Structures are given as C-alpha cells and as structure tokens.
Amino acid sequence: MQRFNLTILTLVTVLFGGHAFAESTSSAGKNSPNILFIFADDWGWGDLSCHGHPYIETPNIDRIAREGTDFQNFTVASGVCSPSRTAVMTGLFPARLRIDGHFAQPDKNAERGMPDWVDPNLPMLPRLLQQAGYMTGHFGKWHLSNNMIPDSPRPEAYGYDRVGAFNCSGEQMPVHDDAKLAIELIEQSVAAKKPFFINLWVHEPHLPFHTVEEYRERFPDLEPGHNVYASVLAHADDRIGKVLDTLDRLELTEDTLVIFSSDNGPAGSGEAGKLKLKYDSATGEGFGGGANVGTTAGRKGRKGTIYQGGIGIPFMVRWPGKVAAGAKDDVSWISAVDLLPTFCEVAGAVVPESLHPDGISQLAVLLGEPSPVRQKPLFWKKQESRNGDADYAVIDQKWKLISDARFRTFQLYDISVDPLEKNDVVTGHPEVATELVGKLKAWNETLPTSVDPALFSKERAAQGTRVKKR
C-alpha cells in the first residue's frame, strides 16, 4: 500500500524547492502580466445579475463577464472554505494534506484529524510568483489557519509582501478594507515597476452579514432577509468596481488578468428567516442565517456538499486582447487545483520539480481553446458525515461518480450532457462505475494517515487532545 506522507512532501519541498525558485526568478519580471484573483465567500452560481438573478445587482462583476469569458463548469476542491482555499494556494487536493473541513479551534481540528494550519513550507502560489519577480499581496479572508489559533503562522509566511487579513492570527483587518489595501498595492507596484499578484478574498456573502445602510436603502422593496443579502453583495461588487477603476486609471487594464470566483456554493437553505444578530470573533457583529438566501441556479446541493451546488461556482476571466470578450465556455471542466500551474504559466514562473500539482495549466483554455473532456481526473473527499450519500467524488473524462464514505452506494452522471446532475445513470453504465470506483479507491489509498505534529498548535498540546484515527 502506497501512502502519501505529508512529512515527506514537506521535506522534499524544503530540500529541492530553492533551485526551482531560482530558475523561476530569471523567467519573469516587470513585463509579466498582473494577476488579480477575486475570491468570494459562499457566493452562489446564481447570485449574479449576469446569471439571471431577479434582484441582485452586480454591474462590476458583470463587467468582468462582459469583457471576458464566463466559464460555466468551474469546480472548487471542496464544499467548504479552508480546504477549497488550500487547493488554490498549493495546487493539491486538500485531502492530501488532511484538510477536509474548515480550520476551527485546535481541539476541533484534532477531532477531525486535521492540522491547525496549512504548512507554510509547501510550494505556495504567492511565493512562486514572488520569486518570479512579482509584488504579492493578500487582502481579505484568510482561513488557512484561524484567529482562534494564536500561534499559527501569519499569511506573510506564505509568500506575501503585504497582507491585510482576517481569520488569521494577529491583527484582524476591518472586513471592508480589502479593496482599499489592494489599490494601495497596485499603486506601489507601478512605482516599483513590478507586476503584481493580488488575492482579493472578499468576505461576502459569508456570515455574519455586515451591512452598510446606504446599500440596504438600494433595495427598499425587498423583505428583510433578501434586503440584507442583496445589500452585502452590492457592497462587495462596488468595492470590486473600485479596484477595476484603478486598473483603468493607471492604464493597467490591458496588462491584467482578472478572475472572479468563489470558494464554495451558497450557505444555508436558501430560505429567508428571522433576522438575528450574530457575533464573529474575527469580523465582528452582523446579521445571521436569516439572510442566507443565496441560490445555485438549479444546481444540486449547497455549501458543504460535493454536488455541483456546493462546488460548481462562478468563474469569470478577463484579459483584454487575450481572453475572448462576451464569451461563454460551457464545455471545459476547470478546477481550483489548476490555478497554481495556470498562474505560473501566465507569469513565466517555473513550478518546482518537487511539486506535483493535482491540476494542470489551463492557460490554453482561457485563451480560447475549449477542452470538453477532462484528461486528468479530479478527486474529492469531504469531511465524513453520518448517513451521507456523497463523501467522495471523481470526475474523469466525461463522467462524475459520487460515493458514500464506505464505497457501498454510487451515483454516476454524464457531465458532458448533464452538468447539473439531474439524471443518475449508474445502472445503465455499470462498467464505467466499476472503473471509476477503482480509481477512487486507489486514490484514497494514497492519502496520508497522519499529520506532522509541527502543524499542531501549542494549545492543542495543552488540551491534551488525541488526534482522531481514520
């Protein structure tokens, strides 16, 4: 039995990463395109005016879609926040790092068999770009650790020149300062004559809903829950618009790859309820789940699931003169694990030989060459749930197979004609199901069985918590 060992991966990275970084430094620089990656939090596929929502107003995100390409079949690597963001940063399936759920208090992480933070010594997307000559910044939500883990590494340890963040250790950035700080870094990069890479990871529309009165007044005819939801999305869209306006003002629009996406699908049931105040230790007080009215636009499942409603989210790409404007791609299956190799190719940064990303560069697809058949399989393993029917999944070629945690019950979808998982065809294609179950089990056997204690908080040790076996 071959098992992927996290400790070995880290050691290999440390030993051999430096040479590759040195190579990448010489391959990029001031002439490389800027990269602005906007990552929302729980933003459902249907929660955009350009996706047909009846009252939500997102003119600035719509502009990205209008001036770029709207990819219809993008998937993230998890239905919840921390593992989804980990995949973006590392190019790896988060199960390879035993990150199946969100980072919480150390005792909760121990119960789940998780580390308390992502290993900062892994090859990280921002560090690769930083070594390639980029000025790097992260502004907004972090959650590759947590503010409740005070000894966890700060985001700066992962390869950023400048950080404003919350859901991390140390000082918490005011939740709406993300765009202001991103604009400051853009201006600094111009002065330094360096390209920039910015993660703009906005809080919206995650709980609590931090409303601003002027945005609530835009939607006077909506019921309270819908009013709150529409107002926070409008506020986020306006902040995104200010960053896009800055690119225009500094004449950087033509030289900047802009992507809008989200970490997972919408939270809650989608039904409005009674509004109650909720306090979050990282972001403060706002409205609670009564305003969780996000929509998947017909996709099955929601946040927390590995159905398309949980992992199939918006993905819009603008790069004037390179990415087709006003276009839609509804055949290519792109994943969050593809972003690291894709961004590295865009930037001219070399992926270290020690890193074997689970994704592939999709630059050719972004530039207009659709890829209707997924050649490199995608795998999901979610935090195991009692009586759940969807704990593992694999996409291979034109098929998606879903399994329960014990590999006893299966669903099969032909995603080339049924991307919304409406028609389970497992009984009609037993040979396909058998092959994919075999691949899923083989992949599962490669996953680590333990976590490097170096990734444990001192508070976990103080609590004397025993790591859960699985």
Side-chain angles (χ1 to χ4, degrees):
M1 180 183 299
Q2 180 183 2
R3 291 189 182 277
F4 187 93
N5 186 288
L6 176 56
T7 303
I8 293 176
L9 172 62
T10 302
L11 179 61
V12 169
T13 299
V14 171
L15 289 175
F16 298 102
H19 175 65
F21 291 162
E23 289 182 344
S24 68
T25 301
S26 63
S27 61
K30 64 181 181 181
N31 295 322
S32 298
N34 308 300
I35 301 173
L36 172 61
F37 180 56
I38 307 166
F39 212 30
D41 198 352
D42 297 356
W43 200 306
W45 199 93
D47 294 330
L48 294 161
S49 45
C50 64
H51 280 181
H53 198 283
Y55 62 77
I56 283 175
E57 298 176 358
T58 53
N60 293 293
I61 300 171
D62 295 352
R63 179 188 170 191
I64 297 173
R66 185 174 64 253
E67 296 177 355
T69 299
D70 187 350
F71 291 87
Q72 310 279 294
N73 292 329
F74 179 80
T75 61
V76 287
S78 173
V80 295
C81 178
S82 297
S84 175
R85 292 162 189 262
T86 297
V88 171
M89 293 280 286
T90 65
L92 300 173
F93 298 129
R96 292 198 185 281
L97 309 173
R98 290 182 66 90
I99 301 172
D100 300 329
H102 71 278
F103 287 111
Q105 297 94 335
D107 59 333
K108 299 296 183 184
N109 298 332
E111 290 176 5
R112 300 167 180 170
M114 291 175 49
D116 289 319
W117 53 79
V118 177
D119 186 352
N121 293 316
L122 291 169
M124 289 285 165
L125 173 61
R127 187 179 299 120
L128 295 176
L129 299 184
Q130 186 185 55
Q131 295 285 346
Y134 275 67
M135 183 177 289
T136 58
H138 181 99
F139 307 109
K141 185 169 184 175
W142 179 243
H143 218 175
L144 301 189
S145 58
N146 202 307
N147 58 300
M148 294 175 285
I149 310 171
D151 57 339
S152 58
R154 286 272 305 168
E156 289 89 340
Y158 294 79
Y160 291 107
D161 295 310
R162 189 172 177 191
V163 169
F166 50 88
N167 283 126
C168 58
S169 60
E171 182 179 1
Q172 305 297 295
M173 183 197 78
V175 69
H176 294 149
D177 280 0
D178 44 14
K180 179 185 70 174
L181 297 176
I183 290 169
E184 289 178 3
L185 185 136
I186 291 171
E187 294 171 339
Q188 291 169 358
S189 75
V190 171
K193 298 182 179 179
K194 297 179 70 173
F196 64 78
F197 167 69
I198 292 177
N199 271 343
L200 181 61
W201 288 9
V202 301
H203 178 264
E204 291 86 357
H206 196 281
L207 294 173
F209 297 103
H210 300 295
T211 58
V212 175
E213 190 60 27
E214 68 172 278
Y215 290 95
R216 294 202 65 181
E217 292 173 354
R218 287 189 185 184
F219 307 94
D221 298 328
L222 295 179
E223 295 296 322
H226 293 273
N227 173 279
V228 166
Y229 197 72
S231 77
V232 297
L233 293 189
H235 189 191
D237 182 81
D238 270 8
R239 300 202 307 280
I240 291 168
K242 290 179 179 177
V243 179
L244 298 180
D245 290 345
T246 299
L247 298 179
D248 293 340
R249 172 171 58 84
L250 298 175
E251 299 182 345
L252 297 174
T253 300
E254 302 293 320
D255 301 320
T256 304
L257 170 64
V258 178
I259 293 178
F260 171 80
S261 191
S262 178
D263 63 347
N264 49 251
S269 67
E271 300 293 329
K274 185 177 180 180
L275 287 182
K276 297 180 180 179
L277 291 177
K278 176 181 177 63
Y279 178 77
D280 183 275
S281 61
T283 66
E285 187 175 77
F287 288 110
N292 261 336
V293 295
T295 175
T296 68
R299 284 157 175 74
K300 185 178 182 180
R302 298 178 67 84
K303 176 180 180 178
T305 75
I306 52 176
Y307 289 112
Q308 287 304 106
I311 60 173
I313 40 99
F315 190 74
M316 297 157 177
V317 182
R318 188 189 78 173
W319 194 2
K322 298 180 177 60
V323 173
K328 290 184 179 178
D329 180 331
D330 59 1
V331 298
S332 302
W333 286 82
I334 305 175
S335 165
V337 294
D338 297 331
L339 294 180
L340 184 149
T342 300
F343 288 168
C344 283
E345 184 174 3
V346 167
V350 176
V351 177
E353 293 181 0
S354 58
L355 174 63
H356 302 285
D358 288 311
I360 56 176
S361 175
Q362 298 283 4
L363 180 56
V365 176
L366 301 189
L367 298 182
E369 297 180 17
S371 179
V373 176
R374 180 76 195 187
Q375 298 294 343
K376 189 170 185 178
L378 298 171
F379 294 96
W380 286 263
K381 178 182 182 300
K382 67 183 286 290
Q383 187 176 318
E384 188 173 331
S385 58
R386 183 177 298 176
N387 300 322
D389 65 348
D391 295 274
Y392 290 88
V394 54
I395 286 180
D396 189 20
Q397 304 289 318
K398 67 173 187 175
W399 302 102
K400 179 177 180 180
L401 180 126
I402 298 174
S403 172
D404 71 322
R406 293 168 179 77
F407 299 105
R408 292 175 178 171
T409 61
F410 308 102
Q411 305 166 55
L412 183 67
Y413 301 94
D414 180 350
I415 55 175
S416 68
V417 296
D418 182 23
L420 302 187
E421 303 166 331
K422 301 291 186 183
N423 185 25
D424 181 0
V425 296
V426 69
T427 57
H429 299 275
E431 74 290 351
V432 174
T434 299
E435 179 183 355
L436 292 182
V437 170
K439 289 186 176 182
L440 198 51
K441 287 182 176 179
W443 174 75
N444 190 48
E445 288 297 313
T446 69
L447 300 180
T449 57
S450 62
V451 178
D452 184 351
L455 305 178
F456 292 165
S457 167
K458 294 178 180 177
E459 296 199 358
R460 180 189 294 216
Q463 294 163 0
T465 307
R466 184 170 60 87
V467 176
K468 178 182 179 182
K469 300 291 185 182
R470 63 180 182 180

PDB file of all heavy atoms in Angstrom, residues 130-152:
ATOM      1  N   GLN A 130       6.220  35.526  -6.230  1.00  0.00           N
ATOM      2  CA  GLN A 130       7.131  36.485  -5.597  1.00  0.00           C
ATOM      3  C   GLN A 130       8.561  36.234  -6.055  1.00  0.00           C
ATOM      4  O   GLN A 130       9.304  37.158  -6.400  1.00  0.00           O
ATOM      5  CB  GLN A 130       7.026  36.356  -4.079  1.00  0.00           C
ATOM      6  CG  GLN A 130       7.806  37.388  -3.280  1.00  0.00           C
ATOM      7  CD  GLN A 130       7.716  37.091  -1.790  1.00  0.00           C
ATOM      8  OE1 GLN A 130       8.034  35.986  -1.345  1.00  0.00           O
ATOM      9  NE2 GLN A 130       7.257  38.067  -1.023  1.00  0.00           N
ATOM     10  N   GLN A 131       8.958  34.976  -6.063  1.00  0.00           N
ATOM     11  CA  GLN A 131      10.303  34.619  -6.512  1.00  0.00           C
ATOM     12  C   GLN A 131      10.490  34.890  -8.000  1.00  0.00           C
ATOM     13  O   GLN A 131      11.609  35.033  -8.482  1.00  0.00           O
ATOM     14  CB  GLN A 131      10.568  33.145  -6.216  1.00  0.00           C
ATOM     15  CG  GLN A 131      10.604  32.797  -4.738  1.00  0.00           C
ATOM     16  CD  GLN A 131      11.879  33.263  -4.047  1.00  0.00           C
ATOM     17  OE1 GLN A 131      12.846  33.618  -4.708  1.00  0.00           O
ATOM     18  NE2 GLN A 131      11.887  33.272  -2.725  1.00  0.00           N
ATOM     19  N   ALA A 132       9.371  34.959  -8.728  1.00  0.00           N
ATOM     20  CA  ALA A 132       9.445  35.248 -10.164  1.00  0.00           C
ATOM     21  C   ALA A 132       9.426  36.741 -10.448  1.00  0.00           C
ATOM     22  O   ALA A 132       9.330  37.145 -11.605  1.00  0.00           O
ATOM     23  CB  ALA A 132       8.280  34.565 -10.886  1.00  0.00           C
ATOM     24  N   GLY A 133       9.481  37.551  -9.416  1.00  0.00           N
ATOM     25  CA  GLY A 133       9.578  38.993  -9.609  1.00  0.00           C
ATOM     26  C   GLY A 133       8.316  39.771  -9.342  1.00  0.00           C
ATOM     27  O   GLY A 133       8.264  40.973  -9.591  1.00  0.00           O
ATOM     28  N   TYR A 134       7.292  39.116  -8.842  1.00  0.00           N
ATOM     29  CA  TYR A 134       6.010  39.782  -8.583  1.00  0.00           C
ATOM     30  C   TYR A 134       5.987  40.429  -7.202  1.00  0.00           C
ATOM     31  O   TYR A 134       6.583  39.915  -6.242  1.00  0.00           O
ATOM     32  CB  TYR A 134       4.867  38.772  -8.659  1.00  0.00           C
ATOM     33  CG  TYR A 134       4.353  38.527 -10.061  1.00  0.00           C
ATOM     34  CD1 TYR A 134       5.145  37.894 -11.016  1.00  0.00           C
ATOM     35  CD2 TYR A 134       3.079  38.946 -10.440  1.00  0.00           C
ATOM     36  CE1 TYR A 134       4.688  37.674 -12.306  1.00  0.00           C
ATOM     37  CE2 TYR A 134       2.607  38.724 -11.730  1.00  0.00           C
ATOM     38  CZ  TYR A 134       3.409  38.089 -12.662  1.00  0.00           C
ATOM     39  OH  TYR A 134       2.955  37.877 -13.933  1.00  0.00           O
ATOM     40  N   MET A 135       5.254  41.547  -7.096  1.00  0.00           N
ATOM     41  CA  MET A 135       4.874  42.101  -5.805  1.00  0.00           C
ATOM     42  C   MET A 135       3.564  41.414  -5.422  1.00  0.00           C
ATOM     43  O   MET A 135       2.606  41.420  -6.201  1.00  0.00           O
ATOM     44  CB  MET A 135       4.684  43.617  -5.884  1.00  0.00           C
ATOM     45  CG  MET A 135       4.366  44.268  -4.548  1.00  0.00           C
ATOM     46  SD  MET A 135       4.234  46.086  -4.660  1.00  0.00           S
ATOM     47  CE  MET A 135       5.960  46.517  -4.924  1.00  0.00           C
ATOM     48  N   THR A 136       3.517  40.811  -4.258  1.00  0.00           N
ATOM     49  CA  THR A 136       2.384  39.961  -3.894  1.00  0.00           C
ATOM     50  C   THR A 136       1.634  40.524  -2.692  1.00  0.00           C
ATOM     51  O   THR A 136       2.232  41.044  -1.747  1.00  0.00           O
ATOM     52  CB  THR A 136       2.860  38.537  -3.561  1.00  0.00           C
ATOM     53  OG1 THR A 136       3.806  38.606  -2.482  1.00  0.00           O
ATOM     54  CG2 THR A 136       3.518  37.877  -4.761  1.00  0.00           C
ATOM     55  N   GLY A 137       0.315  40.402  -2.736  1.00  0.00           N
ATOM     56  CA  GLY A 137      -0.499  40.880  -1.623  1.00  0.00           C
ATOM     57  C   GLY A 137      -1.725  40.019  -1.411  1.00  0.00           C
ATOM     58  O   GLY A 137      -2.272  39.437  -2.368  1.00  0.00           O
ATOM     59  N   HIS A 138      -2.133  39.904  -0.173  1.00  0.00           N
ATOM     60  CA  HIS A 138      -3.365  39.196   0.181  1.00  0.00           C
ATOM     61  C   HIS A 138      -4.229  40.120   1.020  1.00  0.00           C
ATOM     62  O   HIS A 138      -3.791  40.594   2.071  1.00  0.00           O
ATOM     63  CB  HIS A 138      -3.068  37.919   0.960  1.00  0.00           C
ATOM     64  CG  HIS A 138      -4.324  37.170   1.318  1.00  0.00           C
ATOM     65  ND1 HIS A 138      -4.778  36.092   0.597  1.00  0.00           N
ATOM     66  CD2 HIS A 138      -5.250  37.382   2.292  1.00  0.00           C
ATOM     67  CE1 HIS A 138      -5.917  35.650   1.122  1.00  0.00           C
ATOM     68  NE2 HIS A 138      -6.226  36.424   2.147  1.00  0.00           N
ATOM     69  N   PHE A 139      -5.466  40.343   0.562  1.00  0.00           N
ATOM     70  CA  PHE A 139      -6.354  41.259   1.263  1.00  0.00           C
ATOM     71  C   PHE A 139      -7.740  40.624   1.391  1.00  0.00           C
ATOM     72  O   PHE A 139      -8.400  40.322   0.391  1.00  0.00           O
ATOM     73  CB  PHE A 139      -6.429  42.588   0.502  1.00  0.00           C
ATOM     74  CG  PHE A 139      -5.065  43.165   0.237  1.00  0.00           C
ATOM     75  CD1 PHE A 139      -4.546  43.175  -1.052  1.00  0.00           C
ATOM     76  CD2 PHE A 139      -4.275  43.637   1.275  1.00  0.00           C
ATOM     77  CE1 PHE A 139      -3.267  43.666  -1.293  1.00  0.00           C
ATOM     78  CE2 PHE A 139      -2.997  44.124   1.049  1.00  0.00           C
ATOM     79  CZ  PHE A 139      -2.497  44.147  -0.241  1.00  0.00           C
ATOM     80  N   GLY A 140      -8.163  40.430   2.628  1.00  0.00           N
ATOM     81  CA  GLY A 140      -9.471  39.828   2.875  1.00  0.00           C
ATOM     82  C   GLY A 140      -9.356  38.593   3.742  1.00  0.00           C
ATOM     83  O   GLY A 140      -8.444  38.459   4.569  1.00  0.00           O
ATOM     84  N   LYS A 141     -10.291  37.666   3.522  1.00  0.00           N
ATOM     85  CA  LYS A 141     -10.342  36.461   4.350  1.00  0.00           C
ATOM     86  C   LYS A 141      -9.103  35.594   4.118  1.00  0.00           C
ATOM     87  O   LYS A 141      -8.612  35.478   3.000  1.00  0.00           O
ATOM     88  CB  LYS A 141     -11.605  35.669   4.038  1.00  0.00           C
ATOM     89  CG  LYS A 141     -11.783  34.466   4.941  1.00  0.00           C
ATOM     90  CD  LYS A 141     -13.170  33.865   4.792  1.00  0.00           C
ATOM     91  CE  LYS A 141     -13.372  32.719   5.775  1.00  0.00           C
ATOM     92  NZ  LYS A 141     -14.756  32.198   5.743  1.00  0.00           N
ATOM     93  N   TRP A 142      -8.636  34.953   5.178  1.00  0.00           N
ATOM     94  CA  TRP A 142      -7.519  34.030   5.085  1.00  0.00           C
ATOM     95  C   TRP A 142      -8.039  32.607   5.290  1.00  0.00           C
ATOM     96  O   TRP A 142      -8.343  31.907   4.370  1.00  0.00           O
ATOM     97  CB  TRP A 142      -6.450  34.392   6.131  1.00  0.00           C
ATOM     98  CG  TRP A 142      -5.251  33.490   6.152  1.00  0.00           C
ATOM     99  CD1 TRP A 142      -4.825  32.679   7.165  1.00  0.00           C
ATOM    100  CD2 TRP A 142      -4.286  33.323   5.094  1.00  0.00           C
ATOM    101  NE1 TRP A 142      -3.685  32.025   6.819  1.00  0.00           N
ATOM    102  CE2 TRP A 142      -3.324  32.388   5.548  1.00  0.00           C
ATOM    103  CE3 TRP A 142      -4.157  33.861   3.819  1.00  0.00           C
ATOM    104  CZ2 TRP A 142      -2.244  31.982   4.759  1.00  0.00           C
ATOM    105  CZ3 TRP A 142      -3.073  33.459   3.029  1.00  0.00           C
ATOM    106  CH2 TRP A 142      -2.145  32.531   3.509  1.00  0.00           C
ATOM    107  N   HIS A 143      -8.146  32.165   6.505  1.00  0.00           N
ATOM    108  CA  HIS A 143      -8.721  30.875   6.878  1.00  0.00           C
ATOM    109  C   HIS A 143      -7.907  29.678   6.406  1.00  0.00           C
ATOM    110  O   HIS A 143      -8.450  28.585   6.205  1.00  0.00           O
ATOM    111  CB  HIS A 143     -10.175  30.734   6.415  1.00  0.00           C
ATOM    112  CG  HIS A 143     -11.013  30.013   7.435  1.00  0.00           C
ATOM    113  ND1 HIS A 143     -12.381  29.835   7.312  1.00  0.00           N
ATOM    114  CD2 HIS A 143     -10.662  29.416   8.605  1.00  0.00           C
ATOM    115  CE1 HIS A 143     -12.822  29.171   8.352  1.00  0.00           C
ATOM    116  NE2 HIS A 143     -11.804  28.897   9.148  1.00  0.00           N
ATOM    117  N   LEU A 144      -6.584  29.874   6.215  1.00  0.00           N
ATOM    118  CA  LEU A 144      -5.672  28.734   6.105  1.00  0.00           C
ATOM    119  C   LEU A 144      -5.127  28.400   7.482  1.00  0.00           C
ATOM    120  O   LEU A 144      -4.223  27.574   7.628  1.00  0.00           O
ATOM    121  CB  LEU A 144      -4.548  29.032   5.125  1.00  0.00           C
ATOM    122  CG  LEU A 144      -4.996  29.370   3.701  1.00  0.00           C
ATOM    123  CD1 LEU A 144      -3.806  29.429   2.763  1.00  0.00           C
ATOM    124  CD2 LEU A 144      -6.026  28.386   3.182  1.00  0.00           C
ATOM    125  N   SER A 145      -5.627  29.087   8.466  1.00  0.00           N
ATOM    126  CA  SER A 145      -5.493  28.798   9.881  1.00  0.00           C
ATOM    127  C   SER A 145      -6.745  29.441  10.491  1.00  0.00           C
ATOM    128  O   SER A 145      -7.824  29.271   9.947  1.00  0.00           O
ATOM    129  CB  SER A 145      -4.196  29.365  10.462  1.00  0.00           C
ATOM    130  OG  SER A 145      -4.124  30.762  10.261  1.00  0.00           O
ATOM    131  N   ASN A 146      -6.599  30.156  11.590  1.00  0.00           N
ATOM    132  CA  ASN A 146      -7.761  30.814  12.172  1.00  0.00           C
ATOM    133  C   ASN A 146      -7.291  31.808  13.225  1.00  0.00           C
ATOM    134  O   ASN A 146      -6.227  31.615  13.831  1.00  0.00           O
ATOM    135  CB  ASN A 146      -8.696  29.782  12.811  1.00  0.00           C
ATOM    136  CG  ASN A 146     -10.106  30.307  12.956  1.00  0.00           C
ATOM    137  OD1 ASN A 146     -10.315  31.381  13.521  1.00  0.00           O
ATOM    138  ND2 ASN A 146     -11.068  29.580  12.423  1.00  0.00           N
ATOM    139  N   ASN A 147      -8.081  32.838  13.447  1.00  0.00           N
ATOM    140  CA  ASN A 147      -7.748  33.799  14.507  1.00  0.00           C
ATOM    141  C   ASN A 147      -7.822  33.162  15.891  1.00  0.00           C
ATOM    142  O   ASN A 147      -7.262  33.692  16.854  1.00  0.00           O
ATOM    143  CB  ASN A 147      -8.670  35.015  14.441  1.00  0.00           C
ATOM    144  CG  ASN A 147     -10.132  34.648  14.564  1.00  0.00           C
ATOM    145  OD1 ASN A 147     -10.646  33.899  13.745  1.00  0.00           O
ATOM    146  ND2 ASN A 147     -10.802  35.169  15.584  1.00  0.00           N
ATOM    147  N   MET A 148      -8.508  32.015  15.995  1.00  0.00           N
ATOM    148  CA  MET A 148      -8.612  31.310  17.276  1.00  0.00           C
ATOM    149  C   MET A 148      -7.404  30.398  17.529  1.00  0.00           C
ATOM    150  O   MET A 148      -7.379  29.656  18.501  1.00  0.00           O
ATOM    151  CB  MET A 148      -9.902  30.508  17.320  1.00  0.00           C
ATOM    152  CG  MET A 148     -11.149  31.387  17.326  1.00  0.00           C
ATOM    153  SD  MET A 148     -12.688  30.463  17.235  1.00  0.00           S
ATOM    154  CE  MET A 148     -12.714  29.979  15.512  1.00  0.00           C
ATOM    155  N   ILE A 149      -6.414  30.465  16.629  1.00  0.00           N
ATOM    156  CA  ILE A 149      -5.175  29.689  16.790  1.00  0.00           C
ATOM    157  C   ILE A 149      -4.044  30.713  16.821  1.00  0.00           C
ATOM    158  O   ILE A 149      -3.385  30.979  15.809  1.00  0.00           O
ATOM    159  CB  ILE A 149      -4.986  28.689  15.635  1.00  0.00           C
ATOM    160  CG1 ILE A 149      -6.265  27.878  15.417  1.00  0.00           C
ATOM    161  CG2 ILE A 149      -3.808  27.761  15.918  1.00  0.00           C
ATOM    162  CD1 ILE A 149      -6.249  27.023  14.181  1.00  0.00           C
ATOM    163  N   PRO A 150      -3.776  31.330  17.988  1.00  0.00           N
ATOM    164  CA  PRO A 150      -2.876  32.493  18.033  1.00  0.00           C
ATOM    165  C   PRO A 150      -1.439  32.203  17.645  1.00  0.00           C
ATOM    166  O   PRO A 150      -0.713  33.126  17.254  1.00  0.00           O
ATOM    167  CB  PRO A 150      -2.977  32.944  19.496  1.00  0.00           C
ATOM    168  CG  PRO A 150      -3.489  31.759  20.246  1.00  0.00           C
ATOM    169  CD  PRO A 150      -4.368  31.023  19.295  1.00  0.00           C
ATOM    170  N   ASP A 151      -0.986  30.946  17.736  1.00  0.00           N
ATOM    171  CA  ASP A 151       0.397  30.636  17.358  1.00  0.00           C
ATOM    172  C   ASP A 151       0.513  30.113  15.927  1.00  0.00           C
ATOM    173  O   ASP A 151       1.570  29.604  15.534  1.00  0.00           O
ATOM    174  CB  ASP A 151       1.005  29.637  18.340  1.00  0.00           C
ATOM    175  CG  ASP A 151       0.202  28.342  18.435  1.00  0.00           C
ATOM    176  OD1 ASP A 151      -1.000  28.361  18.081  1.00  0.00           O
ATOM    177  OD2 ASP A 151       0.760  27.329  18.872  1.00  0.00           O
ATOM    178  N   SER A 152      -0.537  30.238  15.137  1.00  0.00           N
ATOM    179  CA  SER A 152      -0.461  29.813  13.738  1.00  0.00           C
ATOM    180  C   SER A 152       0.295  30.854  12.917  1.00  0.00           C
ATOM    181  O   SER A 152       0.312  32.042  13.250  1.00  0.00           O
ATOM    182  CB  SER A 152      -1.869  29.618  13.168  1.00  0.00           C
ATOM    183  OG  SER A 152      -2.631  30.811  13.263  1.00  0.00           O
TER     184      SER A 152
END
